Amino acid sequence: MTGGKFIRRTRFSKWFALIVSVHLATGMESIFAEDTERTPAIGKKFRLSSRAKDKKEEHSGPTEAREEHQAHSEGDSLELSDTVINFRDFGRDIPGRPRTLTEVIEDRIYPENVARSEMLANREPDDVETEVPERKSIFGKDRFLSPGPIDPGIKSPTGATWRPSFLIFGNIRTAVQSYEAPGGERTSEWANRLDIFGNLSLNSTERFVFGFRPLDEEGDFTGVAYGRGVRDEGFVNGFDPEPHTFFFEGYLDELFPNFDPTDSRGIDIGYSLGRQPIILQDGILANDNMDALGLTKHNMFLLGSSNARLSAYAGFNEIHRGDNIRDSRARLFAINSQFDYPDMTIEADAAFVKGSSSLGGDGLYFGLGHIQQFGYWNSALRLNTSIALDKRSSAISDGWLISHALARKMKHSDDVLTLSSFGEIDNYTSAARGPATGGPLGGISLLQRAVGIGSYGSPIEVADGDLLGFEISYQHFLDSEEKRQILISAGGAGTYDPIPGRDDFTAAIALQYQHALSSNLVWSLGSFGSITDDDEKGFGLRTELQRKF
């Protein structure tokens, strides 16, 4: 979907073939999302289960599709359960989250915090008489939901009350992997990635977040690489001291409460300013970290919806174009909207990129998403288009991309079945894509995915346009605690308008095993094999250890 030949075509037969072929949709994007970016909360307020990522997130858990079906095991649709759960039992089976780095430091300094945690774990659910000592902290804490009096906090010059608290958390990954695309050269490597974040919360809405990725820079990951597909064999230095995330976010009415003490002026507008992830159309239209300003308005009733959200973004630095290469002169302006209806959600996005003439120039982008549930099936249909306003290149070209997927939890188990397909007319390119995000479909398909570490490519590389593709995936949990799982995917992609010198069809099968060794340590092992219609073969094998802190 980047590079290749740029030939403009508008024949009706292409549209007919595309619409007929694309009939399935995806709901399990979270299985393949291995990036640990912290997305600003503005513009995500009403989709916390699927998009928001906070300090207590665990990527090793079940997928979004399985979580949405967790409340029941029978029936044709998702409805509220008639089962009454005693409040004392609510949450008893929820596993404990990993402690953040700041909590570990506090427990080392104050051993009584460990004794307090053991007391809470061992006491009876109906024990309301035992007095629990206060947790000691050196990084601050918000006791709003804790028993006892609330800290009066600090009165800011704007009139807001702040109760600062600070958390350090992150994720470290190390992988050994070997990859060879059909007809390409083999690359073997040991690659490493470290994501470390600091979260300074002033209150429940205002926070300052900073993050570093010191072991990778512009697609180079610190480690060792060998093979004919490597530019320079040996040690790879990907050290990068610059912050990868650096933003402040909140709500105007919370930051300046004296401007609207009765909440009647409608200034409950969310904002975020700084280096932050910008994700549009689940990463198909845009998926990049950039210096940007974002504004969001919630709780509107537009076009007959029960709730509507409008967001506007202006990106002015660190923008990577559709070929994953940074354009230092690029500027991005985007509008993101979401409309909730009783039986579906509609997302409509638009973006304009003012780019360097040497990298293709300016581009327009539009995206439309339809998310709905049909009984047990979660459906997501997305249509995206890119328009080159100047010349066409690998960074920006003309094209259409439609993806459609279905995912469901199996009736008598927690296994998840996903059926997905896509079609492309001409050569679609994203408005912005980070170096480790792969192609437009890198976040929703095992056969198209970007692993987010090293130079390991996808089983099916989609580099040119005029394509149709499909995939079927099955996620099987090997134990009742869902600590071990196997994911198998099979599918293919091929052109419906052959171009000399390009493979007409590629088929692949991929297998991944994942084991949660503890609440914060996950080991995975994966492999794939692919073959083209010219009998060229591809192969990949990788193992990874990931620890959250």
Side-chain angles (χ1 to χ4, degrees):
M1 298 174 191
T2 57
K5 302 182 181 297
F6 310 106
I7 304 174
R8 189 185 300 270
R9 304 179 178 89
T10 57
R11 296 197 303 269
F12 173 79
S13 59
K14 289 188 175 185
W15 282 101
F16 179 79
L18 180 60
I19 295 173
V20 170
S21 65
V22 181
H23 58 283
L24 304 171
T26 189
M28 35 186 314
E29 293 92 334
S30 60
I31 298 179
F32 313 111
E34 297 194 21
D35 206 350
T36 56
E37 309 296 354
R38 263 51 188 178
T39 305
I42 72 161
K44 315 294 181 183
K45 189 173 183 179
F46 296 96
R47 299 192 65 198
L48 292 180
S49 62
S50 60
R51 302 301 309 163
K53 298 180 179 180
D54 59 19
K55 59 182 178 294
K56 298 180 181 179
E57 176 186 17
E58 288 187 300
H59 291 279
S60 59
T63 66
E64 173 189 342
R66 194 194 62 77
E67 289 174 342
E68 293 179 355
H69 292 286
Q70 187 72 26
H72 70 102
S73 58
E74 295 182 358
D76 295 328
S77 64
L78 286 178
E79 299 176 352
L80 292 176
S81 171
D82 294 328
T83 304
V84 177
I85 301 176
N86 189 296
F87 76 93
R88 294 187 179 90
D89 297 329
F90 184 77
R92 291 189 64 188
D93 58 343
I94 299 177
R97 64 171 175 83
R99 293 180 300 167
T100 62
L101 181 59
T102 43
E103 289 175 318
V104 172
I105 294 174
E106 289 174 342
D107 290 351
R108 292 289 181 90
I109 297 176
Y110 303 111
E112 52 266 41
N113 284 347
V114 178
R116 176 182 179 275
S117 299
E118 294 175 352
M119 177 187 297
L120 290 172
N122 296 328
R123 72 171 181 169
E124 295 296 328
D126 56 352
D127 183 1
V128 296
E129 297 180 355
T130 302
E131 183 176 350
V132 179
E134 184 76 13
R135 176 180 174 84
K136 294 187 176 182
S137 173
I138 61 175
F139 294 100
K141 53 189 174 179
D142 186 355
R143 300 191 66 251
F144 183 75
L145 298 178
S146 302
I150 300 177
D151 189 337
I154 303 171
K155 203 71 171 182
S156 71
T158 64
T161 300
W162 291 346
R163 301 177 181 90
S165 62
F166 183 65
L167 289 175
I168 298 176
F169 56 96
N171 183 46
I172 186 168
R173 302 170 58 188
T174 182
V176 176
Q177 49 199 19
S178 181
Y179 174 81
E180 180 179 346
E185 302 289 351
R186 175 165 297 189
T187 298
S188 299
E189 62 183 345
W190 169 49
N192 299 274
R193 171 173 169 173
L194 171 63
D195 296 74
I196 184 166
F197 297 91
N199 187 111
L200 175 61
S201 295
L202 301 180
N203 52 34
S204 58
T205 57
E206 270 61 41
R207 66 168 182 163
F208 176 75
V209 180
F210 64 87
F212 294 87
R213 282 173 46 176
L215 298 183
D216 68 280
E217 181 179 18
E218 295 299 320
D220 291 329
F221 291 78
T222 299
V224 180
Y226 291 95
R228 295 182 178 179
V230 179
R231 297 192 305 268
D232 298 310
E233 290 187 323
F235 178 72
V236 177
N237 182 11
F239 178 69
D240 182 10
E242 294 185 5
H244 192 259
T245 303
F246 195 87
F247 67 88
F248 181 77
E249 69 170 352
Y251 283 84
L252 292 178
D253 58 334
E254 297 293 338
L255 184 61
F256 303 101
N258 293 335
F259 286 178
D260 189 13
T262 60
D263 288 333
S264 58
R265 296 183 180 179
I267 63 170
D268 52 334
I269 298 174
Y271 62 87
S272 62
L273 176 63
R275 187 163 299 176
Q276 56 189 294
I278 302 297
I279 300 174
L280 302 175
Q281 290 293 318
D282 264 352
I284 297 177
L285 195 150
N287 188 0
D288 195 10
N289 260 48
M290 64 183 72
D291 296 337
L293 168 66
L295 298 174
T296 292
K297 176 63 176 175
H298 293 280
N299 303 330
M300 295 182 292
F301 305 98
L302 303 177
L303 304 178
S305 65
S306 59
N307 179 72
R309 185 206 73 221
L310 293 178
S311 301
Y313 302 98
F316 42 87
N317 190 26
E318 291 292 320
I319 298 172
H320 299 79
R321 302 300 297 274
D323 54 1
N324 308 95
I325 297 176
R326 183 168 58 189
D327 184 349
S328 60
R329 299 180 62 184
R331 303 294 183 265
L332 178 143
F333 305 93
I335 296 177
N336 166 247
S337 63
Q338 177 179 302
F339 304 89
D340 292 328
Y341 296 94
D343 56 352
M344 64 180 173
T345 297
I346 301 295
E347 296 179 355
D349 303 329
F352 168 73
V353 175
K354 178 70 174 176
S356 302
S357 57
S358 59
L359 296 178
D362 305 343
L364 272 178
Y365 308 84
F366 299 94
L368 185 64
H370 175 274
I371 299 95
Q372 190 168 0
Q373 191 164 310
F374 303 96
Y376 281 96
W377 292 91
N378 291 323
S379 169
L381 173 65
R382 298 188 182 277
L383 175 65
N384 288 269
T385 182
S386 61
I387 304 171
L389 299 180
D390 298 318
K391 63 181 181 180
R392 294 185 292 275
S393 68
S394 60
I396 168 62
S397 185
D398 297 330
W400 295 80
L401 176 63
I402 183 170
S403 60
H404 189 201
L406 288 171
R408 64 156 294 168
K409 170 184 171 291
M410 305 308 292
K411 190 171 184 178
H412 300 294
S413 70
D414 288 335
D415 295 355
V416 178
L417 172 67
T418 300
L419 310 171
S420 62
S421 60
F422 73 91
E424 185 184 22
I425 293 177
D426 292 330
N427 196 69
Y428 173 79
T429 54
S430 299
R433 301 209 64 79
T437 61
L441 298 176
I444 66 175
S445 164
L446 183 62
L447 298 183
Q448 304 279 339
R449 74 165 179 171
V451 298
I453 180 172
S455 58
Y456 193 88
S458 59
I460 297 179
E461 288 195 330
V462 181
D464 298 305
D466 296 331
L467 292 169
L468 299 174
F470 69 93
E471 179 178 344
I472 179 171
S473 301
Y474 192 84
Q475 182 186 23
H476 173 60
F477 294 95
L478 300 174
D479 59 282
S480 59
E481 296 181 349
E482 298 175 353
K483 292 183 177 181
R484 297 177 295 122
Q485 59 175 281
I486 291 178
L487 178 63
I488 184 170
S489 294
T495 178
Y496 55 85
D497 192 0
I499 296 176
R502 185 177 73 170
D503 295 324
D504 292 339
F505 185 80
T506 302
I509 184 170
L511 181 68
Q512 176 177 291
Y513 171 77
Q514 183 170 291
H515 187 180
L517 303 176
S518 66
S519 61
N520 60 351
L521 187 63
V522 179
W523 172 68
S524 61
L525 176 66
S527 181
F528 79 86
S530 61
I531 187 170
T532 70
D533 56 338
D534 293 332
D535 203 31
E536 293 181 330
K537 300 178 178 61
F539 171 78
L541 178 65
R542 68 186 305 273
T543 182
E544 178 180 334
L545 192 64
Q546 181 177 180
R547 179 179 176 84
K548 303 177 185 300
F549 56 87

